Amino acid sequence: MHVDLVGLGAAVLIAGLVARAGRRVGLPTVPCYMVIGILLGPGTPGPTLIEHPEDLAMLAALGLILLLFHLGVEFPVEQVLGSGRRLFIAAGCYIAMNVSAGLALGFALGWGTSEALVIGGALGISSSAIATKLLIELHRLTNAETPVVLGIIVIEDIFLAFYLALLSPVLSDSDSAAEILRDLAVSFGFLLLLFAVARYGARLVGALVGTREDELLAVLVIGLVVLVAGVSEEVGVSDAIGALLIGLVVSRTAVRERVERLVLPLRDVFAAVFFVSFGLSIDVGDLGSVAVPVAVAVCLTLIANVAGGVVAARLFGFNQRGAANIGLTILGRGEFSLILATLALGAGLDARIGPFVALYVLVLAILSPLLAANSHYLARIMPDALLRPGWRYVREETISTSCTHLDQIKITTTDVDVCPACVADGEQWVELRLCVTCGNVGCCDDSPARHASAHAAGTGHPIMQSLEDGEDWRWCFVDETLVRAPAGTPVEAGEK
Amino acid sequence: MGQGVHVQELPGIGKRYDIDLGRADQRVSVVVRSGGVRDLYVFTSTSADPTAVIELSEEQARKVGAVLSATFFEA
């Protein structure tokens, strides 16, 4: 057997060094790995480190499997199910808009139906890794929209599982409609079987791989994962989805946290090989020929993302800044797009998908950190009509949930439609504010008497909300911040 | 959680603890990532954007925590 250790070692080392340099300027790692693959591969003039990309096929396959397995293991099922209807609607709209934009482009390109389905997924599903790292780096973990952003990417991960199942008959070489239907039934049946195992058989699986020794746990788990992925491939479901589902199964066992910790470094290394290996398969000369479709795809994704951000912001009552932050943070595309492209190329679909997705991921990788960091410019020009008109004074402000007085929200509605103190004094008022602690109604700070502020100062009641039609913001006098209830709890939870 | 500490789940990252210090211009939030790293968000103005964010490893966080809680004393 031919083993090209020098080529592999050098490629991975260089990819790691370049990714480290990229991280300094805020670039995500995945495209860095891919670029090194493109530059050092046989398809590009200049030095070629790896003559035969197929030598890496086994390691790259392992990378793909571990990426999806780890995703399954750390999948926060309870948190997603408990996150409420609004989040599902927001994520559903985001996914629907992005995937349909991708599908429309895919069909418009005329490369074929299967190709269009792959492009729909590659354009529609954003990279959880890129979005999560952006939130940490931009110091946005205390922002009100951050739990929504994280919730959307988690729901996108579920969607990915179903999309992979839907795609598997397309990616297998079935010709007739009956064959496609049979394949679809097999792949969804296999999905259901693994879901059932996740639900009822987790204890058995835990007993199979469970051991107190980390060494043996790692060996047993990797063996199980690769076996399940291989069997999935055999029955016509992709190895990717098998790996994802066995991850879900393992996540229900007692060894979950140890497996997560043990598999993480393995995943990072082999995933890097997978991304480099994807780059190797790209001929740099082909990138030019897909430049126009990629430019269109990037524009479509930008529009769909901002629209998705606006929908989410409307649902959760965020201002323009929140909408811009949501749309631009989940703009990055990465691992999932490359996985879909790899599956498509493996199934022998149109070879242009490779360079198309590579260039698309690369452009968005550079754009998304830049745009996300400068989201306030978008917030400035976003029309009020898209969101709630009550935010016009605070469109660029970050909204925080770090107000610690949310437990004092007790009263959120009232029948009072006058400022009683002003009525008593025979004064006029401009707008009305409700104290959510005791239900007192007072006039705003634009009114001469400023009874709402006076009430807060006198009683120490922290939060007031606007009683004007169409406005639904709250202000904490103590924290001097705009307040939203955290995602996951309904707005009226405190109502008594 | 205890009085004045608000907990927020951050799926895929970890948990955030917002600590009420009773003042608008002094707020602290701590994000405990599932990997063990802590992000310490410090707000010294009433703005919703943090003044400083410090990333602490588990070991560093323990050290800071011990000094803050005065369990660490050495001449």
Side-chain angles (χ1 to χ4, degrees):
Chain A
M1 196 180 120
H2 170 76
V3 183
D4 181 12
L5 287 181
V6 176
L8 173 67
V12 172
L13 180 64
I14 294 173
L17 289 172
V18 169
R20 191 175 70 180
R23 295 298 299 141
R24 297 236 169 92
V25 293
L27 285 178
T29 52
V30 170
C32 292
Y33 299 146
M34 187 183 73
V35 165
I36 291 309
I38 297 177
L39 291 181
L40 298 179
T44 308
T48 301
L49 269 181
I50 298 172
E51 289 288 351
H52 307 286
E54 58 277 10
D55 291 350
L56 297 187
M58 179 62 113
L59 294 181
L62 204 53
L64 186 152
I65 291 171
L66 289 179
L67 262 172
L68 285 154
F69 172 68
H70 196 265
L71 180 72
V73 174
E74 60 168 14
F75 201 78
V77 180
E78 278 78 20
Q79 283 174 29
V80 172
L81 295 181
S83 56
R85 209 161 48 90
R86 274 190 302 172
L87 186 59
F88 274 97
I89 299 172
C93 289
Y94 173 83
I95 294 169
M97 282 191 282
N98 273 280
V99 173
S100 42
L103 282 175
L105 178 71
F107 282 111
L109 285 174
W111 292 349
T113 308
S114 311
E115 284 80 356
L117 287 170
V118 170
I119 289 173
L123 266 58
I125 301 168
S126 45
S127 160
S128 346
I130 293 179
T132 310
K133 281 187 184 154
L134 264 179
L135 287 172
I136 293 174
E137 277 159 22
L138 294 175
H139 297 159
R140 293 206 175 134
L141 296 183
T142 59
N143 288 12
E145 76 276 3
T146 293
V148 177
V149 171
L150 292 169
I152 291 177
I153 55 182
V154 166
I155 292 174
E156 275 191 280
D157 295 347
I158 312 186
F159 173 75
L160 172 81
F162 285 101
Y163 205 74
L164 281 174
L166 186 74
L167 270 185
S168 52
V170 175
L171 296 174
S172 67
D173 45 0
S174 42
D175 305 315
S176 66
E179 256 181 85
I180 290 181
L181 271 182
R182 197 201 62 208
D183 286 351
L184 208 58
V186 169
S187 66
F188 274 94
F190 194 70
L191 262 181
L192 282 180
L193 175 74
L194 279 174
F195 268 124
V197 173
R199 179 74 184 76
Y200 303 104
R203 183 179 297 219
L204 265 175
V205 174
L208 177 69
V209 297
T211 156
R212 275 160 55 192
E213 290 181 54
D214 279 355
E215 175 194 344
L216 289 173
L217 181 63
V219 170
L220 289 167
V221 165
I222 296 293
L224 176 71
V225 172
V226 175
L227 178 68
V228 171
V231 171
S232 317
E233 182 94 78
E234 289 295 314
V235 300
V237 189
S238 70
D239 50 352
I241 195 160
L244 181 74
L245 286 169
I246 192 68
L248 275 180
V249 174
V250 171
S251 78
R252 319 277 306 180
T253 65
V255 290
R256 169 193 180 153
E257 285 183 2
R258 283 167 64 212
V259 169
E260 214 179 315
R261 179 170 50 80
L262 288 171
V263 170
L264 190 63
L266 287 172
R267 179 201 73 168
D268 289 341
V269 172
F270 289 109
V273 175
F274 166 70
F275 297 128
V276 169
S277 151
F278 179 81
L280 289 175
S281 70
I282 304 294
D283 188 333
V284 83
D286 293 339
L287 292 180
S289 63
V290 292
V292 176
V294 167
V296 177
V298 169
C299 293
L300 278 178
T301 306
L302 250 174
I303 295 168
N305 259 62
V306 172
V310 169
V311 170
R314 277 189 75 99
L315 278 165
F316 284 91
F318 298 138
N319 62 352
Q320 281 82 348
R321 182 69 187 275
N325 280 354
I326 294 174
L328 297 180
T329 306
I330 41 184
L331 186 60
R333 299 290 185 270
E335 60 274 23
F336 301 136
S337 307
L338 298 186
I339 286 170
L340 284 172
T342 306
L343 295 176
L345 294 178
L349 299 190
D350 195 316
R352 282 174 291 187
I353 285 185
F356 172 79
V357 173
L359 192 59
Y360 172 76
V361 165
L362 205 57
V363 172
L364 281 184
I366 297 166
L367 273 184
S368 75
L370 277 177
L371 292 179
N374 293 294
S375 58
H376 55 281
Y377 293 114
L378 179 61
R380 194 175 297 165
I381 58 164
M382 201 176 272
D384 292 322
L386 290 178
L387 291 155
R388 308 189 184 199
W391 297 113
R392 60 187 173 274
Y393 299 115
V394 289
R395 49 165 53 206
E396 279 177 67
E397 293 287 317
T398 301
I399 305 183
S400 177
T401 51
S402 64
C403 168
T404 45
H405 304 96
L406 297 173
D407 54 337
Q408 298 188 38
I409 299 177
K410 298 195 169 79
I411 295 162
T412 55
T413 53
T414 182
D415 296 331
V416 181
D417 56 357
V418 295
C419 174
C422 284
V423 171
D425 298 345
E427 293 277 345
Q428 291 294 312
W429 63 90
V430 181
E431 291 193 350
L432 293 176
R433 306 286 183 248
L434 169 71
C435 169
V436 295
T437 306
C438 68
N440 176 71
V441 175
C443 53
C444 70
D445 281 4
D446 289 333
S447 315
R450 300 184 176 189
H451 284 125
S453 293
H455 169 76
T459 58
H461 293 169
I463 301 174
M464 62 99 165
Q465 78 178 30
S466 174
L467 274 182
E468 298 304 309
D469 284 339
E471 299 194 9
D472 84 342
W473 49 269
R474 288 183 185 146
W475 175 261
C476 176
F477 285 103
V478 181
D479 288 337
E480 293 184 33
T481 176
L482 287 164
V483 178
R484 296 300 313 173
T489 49
V491 184
E492 310 300 337
E495 201 168 36
K496 283 179 188 158
Chain B
M1 224 24 220
Q3 278 270 300
V5 180
H6 179 255
V7 190
Q8 165 83 54
E9 291 276 351
L10 299 176
I13 293 185
K15 269 187 184 150
R16 191 182 77 220
Y17 301 85
D18 299 319
I19 302 155
D20 181 12
L21 302 178
R23 295 178 49 168
D25 57 350
Q26 282 193 354
R27 286 176 293 133
V28 171
S29 290
V30 179
V31 177
V32 181
R33 293 193 219 158
S34 37
V37 174
R38 271 82 152 160
D39 294 286
L40 185 61
Y41 278 65
V42 180
F43 302 81
T44 55
S45 71
T46 54
S47 158
D49 293 312
T51 320
V53 178
I54 300 173
E55 200 176 307
L56 297 168
S57 70
E58 212 161 350
E59 186 60 38
Q60 291 169 322
R62 253 199 296 280
K63 225 186 247 175
V64 174
V67 174
L68 283 178
S69 64
T71 48
F72 176 88
F73 43 89
E74 204 173 281

